[in-house]
Amino acid sequence: MLGRTGEKLAAIGLGTWKIGGGMTPDYSMDKEAIEAIRYAVELGMTHIDTAEIYGGGHAEELVGEAVKTFPREDIFITSKVWHTNLRYDDVLKACERSLKRLQTSYIDLYLIHWPNPSIPLSETMKALERLYKDGKIRYIGVSNFSVSQVEEARSYLSQTDVVANQVEYSLYDRSIEKDLIPYCLKTGVTVVAYSPLGQGRLIRELSIGRSKRIKMLREVAESYSKTPIQVALNWVIWKENVVTIPKSIRKEHLEENVGAVGWRLSERDYKRLADAWG
Ligand code: NAP
């Protein structure tokens, strides 16, 4: 569920960082990327996360190209405005550029990618509310914001609310558990967990690991007839109001990742894993 909007959001979506390049465009894998995004949507990963900065804008272009074959209302697109574009006029212009690259008339969820203390947050939120009122974005969110920053952002909105905070969360990074997740649960802000596989750390640990915790992860996975990666993703979305967006352009990985939904780790197994990685 997205915030308190009543709108459903896929628990496992698709991340696009490094699809179409890093900070600059890379066109060499366009065909594979478009096919992967389409396949992800077909599998049910209808929440696609991108940003103006990804691939210097090329990730948005690939997303736009990929999803235009689906009814627009079946896709939930998140994009983000970079922290250097947070002045009022810059936000409006950045959004227009993103809409063009995405080949759409609206972005479902538009996030401030990172806070920028040198630009007043009130100014940025005013611009986001303008975009909201103009129908260019359906929802407003933030990313990498602390509790106090989310609270401040909310205080500048009069017609709508912050519905999501996209932050790093995985077995490897648990820093949001103490304050941010409880705050978001209490106030109806969806946590969108990024880097749920620790940006590939779990894959590396699985490939070399004979540690106790990897052994335990494998045992838990076997007991549910799931893979360790599916267990790790299910662990991330275990808490109410947490969804995630693993990145992959490989079909077999997308199939594996989508198998992390439709079932739930027991509380005991959830806690055992939390303790082992804690
Ligand atoms: P991630 O999703 O934790 O890990 C991605 C890596 O895992 C890729 O190398 C991918 O390679 C691999 N992978 C994915 N599924 C796999 C599977 N089933 N088996 C084996 N390997 C698998 O890390 P991330 O890309 O950093 O985070 C996800 C998304 O979050 C990003 O793409 C981006 O959209 C968002 N994000 C946001 C911020 C922010 O500041 N808001 C920061 C970082 C990320 P293959 O492609 O080869 O499968």
Side-chain angles (χ1 to χ4, degrees):
M1 211 57 84
L2 179 67
R4 289 186 174 145
T5 65
E7 179 153 344
K8 277 195 181 155
L9 186 62
I12 303 277
L14 178 72
T16 63
W17 167 235
K18 300 232 178 102
I19 291 184
M23 298 296 267
T24 52
D26 175 351
Y27 302 97
S28 63
M29 297 280 282
D30 281 9
K31 192 169 165 284
E32 292 82 349
I34 290 168
E35 277 174 17
I37 297 165
R38 286 191 182 146
Y39 192 52
V41 171
E42 283 161 13
L43 289 172
M45 297 180 189
T46 48
H47 175 201
I48 317 273
D49 178 75
T50 189
E52 63 167 334
I53 201 76
Y54 295 175
H58 191 44
E60 287 185 329
E61 289 172 346
L62 290 168
V63 171
E65 194 57 32
V67 303
K68 71 179 189 192
T69 52
F70 298 95
R72 178 65 185 86
E73 61 277 14
D74 290 355
I75 313 291
F76 189 97
I77 300 175
T78 294
S79 194
K80 317 182 194 80
V81 54
W82 192 233
H83 65 87
T84 51
N85 286 335
L86 298 184
R87 288 274 173 209
Y88 187 89
D89 286 342
D90 294 340
V91 175
L92 303 189
K93 284 187 208 149
C95 184
E96 282 304 330
R97 290 193 297 267
S98 289
L99 288 170
K100 206 163 165 207
R101 287 190 290 258
L102 288 162
Q103 302 184 47
T104 184
S105 59
Y106 66 89
I107 292 167
D108 295 276
L109 174 61
Y110 200 43
L111 313 178
I112 300 175
H113 204 145
W114 284 90
N116 182 347
S118 59
I119 296 175
L121 186 54
S122 54
E123 183 175 334
T124 311
M125 297 312 289
K126 209 170 135 199
L128 291 176
E129 199 152 58
R130 176 79 262 149
L131 291 169
Y132 169 79
K133 284 185 207 157
D134 290 347
K136 310 252 167 157
I137 61 177
R138 292 178 60 227
Y139 299 110
I140 294 171
V142 293
S143 176
N144 300 299
F145 271 43
S146 65
V147 168
S148 60
Q149 288 165 333
V150 179
E151 288 203 308
E152 188 189 344
R154 300 179 102 169
S155 74
Y156 300 127
L157 294 175
S158 56
Q159 310 232 331
T160 183
D161 200 357
V162 168
V163 300
N165 188 8
Q166 188 179 119
V167 279
E168 183 158 5
Y169 188 49
S170 69
L171 281 166
Y172 292 90
D173 190 328
R174 312 267 294 279
S175 46
I176 63 167
E177 277 181 350
K178 197 166 163 280
D179 297 326
L180 195 70
I181 290 188
Y183 167 81
C184 288
L185 270 174
K186 200 172 78 196
T187 56
V189 175
T190 293
V191 172
V192 181
Y194 73 68
S195 305
L197 301 171
Q199 289 184 320
R201 273 175 75 191
L202 178 63
I203 291 101
R204 285 191 293 282
E205 195 178 339
L206 279 166
S207 69
I208 52 162
R210 297 189 194 285
S211 61
K212 253 169 94 180
R213 68 184 189 183
I214 287 293
K215 201 169 158 259
M216 190 241 277
L217 175 60
R218 288 192 190 284
E219 278 166 16
V220 171
E222 213 168 296
S223 70
Y224 290 83
S225 302
K226 301 289 172 195
T227 68
I229 284 171
Q230 288 169 338
V231 168
L233 291 174
N234 192 275
W235 184 93
V236 169
I237 59 170
W238 197 84
K239 285 196 160 89
E240 194 193 326
N241 233 25
V242 181
V243 300
T244 191
I245 44 169
K247 173 263 168 186
S248 182
I249 56 160
R250 296 164 74 115
K251 287 194 170 179
E252 65 275 23
H253 291 172
L254 294 169
E255 285 165 4
E256 182 172 21
N257 296 352
V258 85
V261 287
W263 59 282
R264 186 171 152 86
L265 283 166
S266 71
E267 189 165 1
R268 180 174 167 268
D269 289 330
Y270 173 81
K271 284 189 174 148
R272 280 170 70 204
L273 291 164
D275 290 346
W277 261 264

